[in-house]
Amino acid sequence: MQIHAVHGDITEQQVDAVVNAANNAMRGGGGVDGAIHRAGGPAVLADCIERFPDGLATGDAGWTVAGDLPARWVIHTVGPNRHAGQTDRGLLVSCYRRCLEVADELGAASVAFPLISAGVYGWPKQDAVAAAVETLRSTPTRVREARIVAFDAPTYALVDAALSPTG
């Protein structure tokens, strides 16, 4: 699988699936979650309500339609919230692994990932990048292209450096 760093807006990525860093309730929120729900429109929320009436566990993933997004699917995953005491790195690794498993179930060849848990959930960015890159590189998958999409330049620089041959 090819892994690329992208500086941009995840809601504008033309891929088979975009990953949403969701909350447990699966009803929209702030950050990436809010942006995906706004850009995808009401179809994303309606499908979340239908598919996930009880929400989703931390570290797990599931899919919905993408609504008005240029992607075909949204793969929702719930990252660990360090501010709530969820400090097990295994939960963060599980998010990336489960997203790839869901992508394989869907037949998605290209997937755009945000940096899961590195925003309002307080995971240290350097470790969030390392967890993303290590897990994407080591997880067997039929996905051919993974993008780690960074909204701001400093985060993009961290991801790009981690993906470099010497990173």
Side-chain angles (χ1 to χ4, degrees), residues 6-10 149-153 155-156:
V6 175
H7 182 198
D9 184 337
I10 197 161
V149 182
F151 192 70
D152 61 62
T155 303
Y156 169 78

Side-chain angles (χ1 to χ4, degrees), residues 57-81:
T58 302
D60 202 359
W63 68 275
T64 65
V65 299
D68 297 328
L69 291 164
R72 185 168 177 190
W73 300 287
V74 176
I75 300 174
H76 305 266
T77 190
V78 181
N81 184 342

Side-chain angles (χ1 to χ4, degrees), residues 9-148:
D9 184 337
I10 197 161
T11 67
E12 297 174 356
Q13 298 302 302
Q14 295 190 7
V15 291
D16 294 327
V18 294
V19 172
N20 179 21
N23 58 46
N24 294 103
M26 305 289 295
R27 302 298 180 260
V32 170
D33 193 21
I36 286 177
H37 277 269
R38 282 188 302 276
V44 176
L45 178 58
D47 209 14
C48 280
I49 291 168
E50 183 176 322
R51 291 179 189 273
F52 308 103
D54 300 318
L56 198 60
T58 302
D60 202 359
W63 68 275
T64 65
V65 299
D68 297 328
L69 291 164
R72 185 168 177 190
W73 300 287
V74 176
I75 300 174
H76 305 266
T77 190
V78 181
N81 184 342
R82 286 187 63 97
H83 299 306
Q86 296 175 329
T87 59
D88 179 0
R89 190 177 195 257
L91 290 171
L92 182 57
V93 168
S94 178
C95 290
Y96 290 98
R97 186 177 302 119
R98 283 289 300 131
C99 285
L100 289 173
E101 290 170 359
V102 171
D104 283 345
E105 291 168 15
L106 293 168
S110 56
V111 181
F113 290 84
L115 200 55
I116 299 165
S117 290
V120 296
Y121 278 12
W123 205 272
K125 272 201 181 150
Q126 192 71 43
D127 191 48
V129 170
V133 171
E134 290 164 13
T135 307
L136 292 175
R137 282 182 172 159
S138 66
T139 302
T141 183
R142 290 185 306 279
V143 172
R144 292 192 305 270
E145 179 194 8
R147 300 176 187 176
I148 302 174

